[in-house]
Amino acid sequence: MPQARVDALSALLGGELLGRGELIVERIEPLEAAGPGSIAFLSNPRYAQQLHATRAGCVIAAPAQREALARLPSAIVCADPYLAFARLTQWWAAQAARPVAPGVHPSAVVHALARVDPSATVGALAVVGAGAVVGAGAVIGSHGVLEDGACVGAHGRVGARVFIGARCTLGERCIVHPGVVIGADGFGFAPHQGRWEKIEQLGAVRIGDDVEIGANTCIDRGALDDTVVGDGVKLDNLIQIGHNVRIGAGTAMAGCVGVAGSARIGARCTFGGGAIVLGHLEIVDEVHVSAATVVTRSILRPGQYSGVFPFDDNVAWEKNAATLRQLHSLRERLRALEKSLK
Amino acid sequence: MPQARVDALSALLGGELLGRGELIVERIEPLEAAGPGSIAFLSNPRYAQQLHATRAGCVIAAPAQREALARLPSAIVCADPYLAFARLTQWWAAQAARPVAPGVHPSAVVHALARVDPSATVGALAVVGAGAVVGAGAVIGSHGVLEDGACVGAHGRVGARVFIGARCTLGERCIVHPGVVIGADGFGFAPHQGRWEKIEQLGAVRIGDDVEIGANTCIDRGALDDTVVGDGVKLDNLIQIGHNVRIGAGTAMAGCVGVAGSARIGARCTFGGGAIVLGHLEIVDEVHVSAATVVTRSILRPGQYSGVFPFDDNVAWEKNAATLRQLHSLRERLRALEKSLK
Amino acid sequence: MPQARVDALSALLGGELLGRGELIVERIEPLEAAGPGSIAFLSNPRYAQQLHATRAGCVIAAPAQREALARLPSAIVCADPYLAFARLTQWWAAQAARPVAPGVHPSAVVHALARVDPSATVGALAVVGAGAVVGAGAVIGSHGVLEDGACVGAHGRVGARVFIGARCTLGERCIVHPGVVIGADGFGFAPHQGRWEKIEQLGAVRIGDDVEIGANTCIDRGALDDTVVGDGVKLDNLIQIGHNVRIGAGTAMAGCVGVAGSARIGARCTFGGGAIVLGHLEIVDEVHVSAATVVTRSILRPGQYSGVFPFDDNVAWEKNAATLRQLHSLRERLRALEKSLK
């Protein structure tokens, strides 16, 4: 378990120390649950009054809270407390981590023509194919599968039983969670006499640097070209990315999003959970799509977009939904009334 | 294959036997498909007239059906036929099950500091980390991964290639289906200069007793606190549970549900398939959310809630959907008309 | 890397050769990206003007494009260019494929009572149970799990870490992508005194010939009867098929579709991504359901069906959504106006 002096943490985070720097904290906790041995943070000013009640030994907060912080045993004043908190968790996790010994677990099945960097780690029962590359300091979890020619860049952290298909590549410092499938076939068929003729998917998947991919998410290989995920993209769990999709740098998608084939998504976009993007659309940079919204046509202007049926108690919903099915005729009736009154 | 005398089954289920107790049944079948060697059940009185046509050797039904049951070769009268059917399937499955020998499969990779109960079973090619615990009578399927400190309580049935992350714990008698990922990182980032700074997820996942989790479902570990799933919760397949979510005892969710981070869900709730719950909401006990409904704000009163666009043939839908985009202005026009007529 | 003379490809595809048959192509590329060493295709006449700009060495197109094709180095005229393209990808993939040696990888765990055809391949670290069958020429990927009595028909291509539960069967020539779970328990419980009593799922899954199943898709076993997937069905990634569902031949579903238990779906239907089908419904043959549509009642006539809230910029959506919650009362007000004016 990590523990740290508050003055050391303040220095680490580049903040201004208030109160007793020699105080030691042993855990990070939410403000309302924190005790004397804990460090907490306040980011949203809406919750500022929690500062009066907290029992935390140390709180990270913005300069605006300086007054309330003064009564605490200690505090760290930072311009961006949420960012400071993020960096604190990174330091904390690094302290708590059991060191991973480099090398290939004896139970792994690694092809003679794979290139595993001597500083990389390949976990128990992993399978690494011919021509696959595992970069410096990268970690492949247990049961990972890298097919022929797959590549994990330097310092990648690939979780247990991740599948990376033939010729698919990840850049540096990617984090991939358990159950992810990168490079399964895209969904492509030509209809022929009532049957579906398979279009073999000859492209691959190219993933940039600093990408994180959540558990059981799937990214399909392209039909001819590659499917491309830009630098710094963050994907949550159970997301489906169809073949030939392109996602620009820094875009983030919450859980259960589905993006159909050949959609082109810009940089620095965000997608709420369960949003669906139809195929062959274009979405420009800095578009924000609300949860569960279905994007049925291209979005060519930055902004926030939504489209969700407002939920209600069941009786009210049933009435409104039933009326909705006559909406067009209601409009016609309204028009007729207006006309008759002119 | 199990087979049983009807009088023995009647005693097992605590029912009242009608007809020939010495009759032997060899399979459980739906009422409309059952033959003379089958036992069936009738639970929904709406289907009562199927009793007249069935060829089943034995039927489980409620006292209200006594008259129709009298003409069958045999019957078992139970106050709650659906519950009796559930118990019958349990007995049947237990008879049909191949006994699982306790012990660790020689191909499994079990850390010297793991604690596997002598009555537990660890399947082929499973990986069990340091400090992980497998309780009495528990079964870990092939390719299962328990990271360091993960814990499966007594009599758990963990399917093939389930992933249980470091320090995540399951109570007793849990059933976890293949592909489940418990304890991947929650989706947390601080925005910083157009990039996402990772918030390391320091919490874990705590799952109660008698929980069942469907195939490829994901439950993320908490950021600071744990993600908590109460006793008796039932989750279907491909569900996403975000970090720091709390789910009360006895709540059930159908397939493809997504619950965003920090939502607090009460006890004895039900969620239809594909429902989405946004983050940081509160849902009280005994709330029932219809399939595909998007819960965008807290629900503080028990009841049934819905919010689904009613589907229609495509032409009608297009007309109504187009009009919907002018709905606010329609209201304004209606208001103007009302005013002009006053 | 495959390469081929254009005249050979024309013969293979049964097309009519225009231009220089001795030209050699080394890759298949989209029309707009193709260079002199590439073969491309034009299927949608909407993009016909791309033919004037393309630098492709060879283009496959329909007879209507004959004139524009004449100016290219070479071309192949086919009645159905998309089908010809599909067949070309199949030939290409077969040329590029590394031959898979038949036999069982030494690290696989195969039960003495399993029946693996001598021409079949079982990958590294796969687990094959008692009575399981792997047909002629079939390939089981690494980490595949076939439980007792599971069956993969001849020439099946089962990807890495696919799970096939006890007694579940796949027909011939099926393609199953990584992470698929076939035959986990259906979601069935009887409520009893505030708890859920498990209904053991005694059925299995029966999958026809020529079925393709996308990554991390789940198909549950039936409660009593089997879950049945017809010949030639194509399922994309992350789809949930509940217990006792029946899907007719040739039906295709895009990613993230969910089908609840006991739904009966006809032949030659299509479902857009994220569509949800409620349980116990009937959908007849040749029904086409748009993406993200929620099917809440049976569909007894062929046709296209939709039900999606039209998305909009957030401000417009909020206004319309708020008004939608008063839609029923708007109708009442309109009715009152109409009455007062008569």
Side-chain angles (χ1 to χ4, degrees):
Chain A
M1 273 310 177
Q3 55 176 42
R5 277 174 63 118
V6 161
D7 50 8
L9 293 179
S10 182
L12 176 83
L13 302 173
E16 177 196 348
L17 175 69
L18 303 183
R20 297 167 43 208
E22 74 281 11
L23 197 141
I24 284 174
V25 288
E26 298 178 314
R27 65 193 76 83
I28 317 180
E29 286 192 294
L31 202 50
E32 68 275 20
S38 300
I39 181 166
F41 77 102
L42 176 79
S43 158
N44 190 335
R46 245 185 9 178
Y47 301 123
Q49 64 176 26
Q50 289 187 5
L51 283 182
H52 301 294
T54 187
R55 297 173 51 246
C58 180
V59 172
I60 304 168
Q65 312 299 337
R66 198 183 293 268
E67 203 170 320
L69 295 174
R71 68 150 205 88
L72 298 175
S74 74
I76 300 172
V77 177
C78 291
D80 185 341
Y82 198 52
L83 176 65
F85 163 63
R87 296 224 164 115
L88 177 63
T89 63
Q90 291 170 10
W91 179 86
W92 210 269
Q95 302 302 309
R98 221 166 43 109
V100 181
V104 174
H105 193 278
S107 65
V109 178
V110 177
H111 194 279
L113 295 178
R115 287 186 290 143
V116 179
D117 191 276
S119 66
T121 305
V122 175
L125 303 162
V127 176
V128 182
V133 176
V134 182
V139 178
I140 307 298
S142 43
H143 295 116
V145 175
L146 274 66
E147 288 195 330
D148 294 1
C151 172
V152 173
H155 307 293
R157 285 155 54 184
V158 174
R161 61 178 169 81
V162 166
F163 172 88
I164 306 177
R167 296 176 290 111
C168 297
T169 59
L170 284 80
E172 304 197 343
R173 296 172 303 280
C174 289
I175 300 176
V176 186
H177 291 286
V180 165
V181 176
I182 295 169
D185 279 355
F187 196 64
F189 302 91
H192 177 55
Q193 299 181 338
R195 301 170 47 114
W196 300 101
E197 195 79 30
K198 181 169 176 70
I199 297 169
E200 292 286 347
Q201 305 289 301
L202 305 172
V205 178
R206 265 185 295 138
I207 291 175
D209 296 331
D210 301 301
V211 171
E212 183 158 346
I213 304 174
N216 281 351
T217 280
C218 301
I219 305 176
D220 280 348
R221 65 173 63 243
L224 296 177
D225 285 338
D226 293 341
T227 303
V228 180
V229 177
D231 291 343
V233 166
K234 309 296 177 185
L235 304 179
D236 197 356
N237 300 352
L238 288 168
I239 287 175
Q240 154 67 357
I241 305 294
H243 56 177
N244 296 108
V245 167
R246 285 166 180 260
I247 303 179
T251 285
M253 298 185 178
C256 306
V257 165
V259 181
S262 300
R264 308 245 155 165
I265 294 175
R268 299 177 304 284
C269 296
T270 59
F271 290 77
I276 297 273
V277 179
L278 298 201
H280 295 273
L281 301 184
E282 186 189 349
I283 295 179
V284 298
D285 296 349
E286 290 176 5
V287 165
H288 305 284
V289 174
S290 300
T293 294
V294 184
V295 180
T296 50
R297 55 182 201 285
S298 291
I299 300 181
L300 303 175
R301 291 208 308 201
Q304 176 87 34
Y305 295 85
S306 305
V308 175
F309 199 105
F311 84 97
D312 217 329
D313 70 80
N314 196 60
V315 174
W317 168 77
E318 276 196 353
K319 276 189 189 173
N320 290 321
T323 310
L324 179 53
R325 302 186 68 195
Q326 315 160 7
L327 186 56
H328 185 71
S329 68
L330 283 190
R331 189 182 66 161
E332 295 308 307
R333 282 160 58 187
L334 180 59
R335 203 172 267 175
L337 271 191
E338 288 170 333
K339 214 171 163 184
S340 76
L341 287 171
K342 266 189 191 144
Chain B
M1 274 308 180
Q3 56 175 43
R5 277 173 62 120
V6 162
D7 50 8
L9 293 180
S10 181
L12 177 82
L13 302 173
E16 177 195 349
L17 175 69
L18 302 184
R20 295 168 43 208
E22 76 281 10
L23 197 142
I24 284 173
V25 288
E26 296 178 316
R27 66 193 74 83
I28 317 180
E29 286 193 293
L31 202 50
E32 69 274 21
S38 301
I39 180 166
F41 76 101
L42 176 79
S43 157
N44 189 334
R46 246 189 3 182
Y47 300 123
Q49 66 176 25
Q50 288 186 5
L51 282 183
H52 300 295
T54 187
R55 295 173 53 246
C58 181
V59 173
I60 304 169
Q65 312 300 335
R66 198 182 293 268
E67 203 169 320
L69 294 175
R71 70 149 204 89
L72 298 175
S74 74
I76 301 173
V77 177
C78 291
D80 186 341
Y82 198 52
L83 176 65
F85 163 62
R87 296 224 163 115
L88 176 64
T89 64
Q90 292 171 8
W91 179 86
W92 209 269
Q95 302 301 308
R98 222 167 41 109
V100 181
V104 174
H105 192 278
S107 65
V109 178
V110 178
H111 195 281
L113 296 178
R115 287 186 290 143
V116 177
D117 191 278
S119 65
T121 305
V122 175
L125 302 164
V127 176
V128 182
V133 175
V134 182
V139 178
I140 308 299
S142 44
H143 295 117
V145 175
L146 274 65
E147 288 195 330
D148 294 0
C151 172
V152 173
H155 306 295
R157 284 155 55 183
V158 174
R161 63 177 167 81
V162 167
F163 172 87
I164 305 177
R167 297 176 291 110
C168 297
T169 59
L170 283 81
E172 305 197 342
R173 294 173 305 278
C174 289
I175 299 175
V176 186
H177 291 286
V180 165
V181 177
I182 295 170
D185 279 355
F187 196 63
F189 303 91
H192 177 55
Q193 299 180 339
R195 300 169 48 112
W196 300 101
E197 195 79 30
K198 181 171 176 71
I199 297 169
E200 292 285 347
Q201 305 289 301
L202 305 172
V205 179
R206 266 185 294 138
I207 291 175
D209 297 330
D210 301 302
V211 171
E212 183 157 347
I213 304 174
N216 281 350
T217 280
C218 302
I219 305 176
D220 279 349
R221 63 174 63 242
L224 297 178
D225 285 338
D226 294 341
T227 304
V228 181
V229 177
D231 292 342
V233 166
K234 308 297 177 185
L235 304 179
D236 197 357
N237 299 352
L238 288 168
I239 287 174
Q240 154 67 358
I241 305 294
H243 57 176
N244 297 106
V245 167
R246 286 167 179 259
I247 303 178
T251 284
M253 297 184 179
C256 307
V257 164
V259 181
S262 300
R264 310 245 154 165
I265 294 175
R268 297 177 305 284
C269 296
T270 60
F271 291 77
I276 297 274
V277 179
L278 298 201
H280 295 273
L281 300 184
E282 187 189 348
I283 296 179
V284 298
D285 296 348
E286 290 175 4
V287 165
H288 305 285
V289 174
S290 301
T293 294
V294 184
V295 180
T296 51
R297 54 181 204 283
S298 292
I299 300 180
L300 303 176
R301 290 210 307 204
Q304 176 87 31
Y305 295 85
S306 305
V308 174
F309 199 106
F311 83 98
D312 216 331
D313 69 83
N314 196 61
V315 174
W317 168 76
E318 276 196 353
K319 276 189 188 172
N320 290 321
T323 310
L324 179 52
R325 301 187 67 195
Q326 315 161 7
L327 186 56
H328 184 71
S329 70
L330 283 189
R331 189 183 65 164
E332 296 307 308
R333 283 159 58 186
L334 180 60
R335 204 173 266 175
L337 270 192
E338 287 170 334
K339 213 171 162 184
S340 76
L341 286 172
K342 265 187 195 146
Chain C
M1 274 310 177
Q3 55 176 39
R5 278 173 62 119
V6 161
D7 51 7
L9 293 180
S10 181
L12 176 81
L13 302 173
E16 177 196 349
L17 175 69
L18 303 183
R20 296 167 44 209
E22 75 282 11
L23 197 141
I24 284 174
V25 289
E26 297 178 315
R27 65 193 76 83
I28 316 179
E29 286 193 293
L31 202 50
E32 70 275 20
S38 300
I39 181 167
F41 76 102
L42 175 79
S43 157
N44 190 334
R46 248 190 358 184
Y47 301 122
Q49 65 175 26
Q50 289 187 4
L51 282 182
H52 300 295
T54 187
R55 297 172 54 244
C58 181
V59 172
I60 304 168
Q65 311 300 335
R66 198 182 295 265
E67 202 170 321
L69 294 174
R71 70 150 204 91
L72 298 176
S74 74
I76 301 172
V77 177
C78 292
D80 184 341
Y82 198 53
L83 176 65
F85 163 63
R87 296 223 164 117
L88 176 63
T89 64
Q90 292 170 9
W91 179 85
W92 210 269
Q95 301 302 307
R98 221 166 42 110
V100 181
V104 175
H105 193 279
S107 65
V109 178
V110 177
H111 195 280
L113 297 178
R115 285 185 292 143
V116 178
D117 190 277
S119 65
T121 305
V122 176
L125 302 163
V127 176
V128 182
V133 175
V134 182
V139 178
I140 307 299
S142 44
H143 296 118
V145 175
L146 274 66
E147 287 196 330
D148 294 359
C151 172
V152 173
H155 307 293
R157 285 156 53 185
V158 174
R161 62 178 168 80
V162 167
F163 172 88
I164 305 177
R167 295 178 290 109
C168 297
T169 60
L170 284 81
E172 303 197 344
R173 296 172 304 278
C174 288
I175 299 176
V176 186
H177 291 286
V180 165
V181 177
I182 295 170
D185 279 355
F187 196 63
F189 302 90
H192 178 54
Q193 300 180 340
R195 300 170 49 112
W196 299 102
E197 195 80 30
K198 183 171 175 67
I199 297 169
E200 293 285 349
Q201 304 290 301
L202 306 172
V205 178
R206 264 184 296 138
I207 292 175
D209 296 332
D210 300 301
V211 170
E212 182 158 348
I213 304 174
N216 281 350
T217 281
C218 302
I219 305 175
D220 281 348
R221 63 174 64 241
L224 297 177
D225 285 338
D226 293 341
T227 303
V228 180
V229 176
D231 291 343
V233 166
K234 309 296 178 185
L235 304 179
D236 197 356
N237 299 352
L238 288 167
I239 287 175
Q240 155 66 0
I241 305 293
H243 56 178
N244 296 107
V245 167
R246 285 165 180 261
I247 303 179
T251 285
M253 297 185 178
C256 307
V257 165
V259 181
S262 300
R264 310 243 155 165
I265 295 175
R268 298 176 304 284
C269 296
T270 60
F271 291 77
I276 297 273
V277 179
L278 299 200
H280 295 273
L281 300 185
E282 186 188 348
I283 296 179
V284 298
D285 295 350
E286 288 175 7
V287 164
H288 305 284
V289 174
S290 299
T293 294
V294 184
V295 180
T296 50
R297 54 183 203 285
S298 291
I299 300 181
L300 303 176
R301 291 208 309 202
Q304 176 87 32
Y305 295 84
S306 305
V308 175
F309 199 104
F311 84 99
D312 217 330
D313 70 82
N314 196 60
V315 174
W317 169 76
E318 275 196 353
K319 275 188 188 173
N320 290 321
T323 310
L324 179 52
R325 300 186 69 196
Q326 315 160 8
L327 186 57
H328 185 70
S329 69
L330 283 189
R331 189 182 66 162
E332 296 307 310
R333 283 160 57 187
L334 180 60
R335 203 173 267 175
L337 270 191
E338 287 170 333
K339 213 171 163 184
S340 76
L341 286 171
K342 266 191 192 143

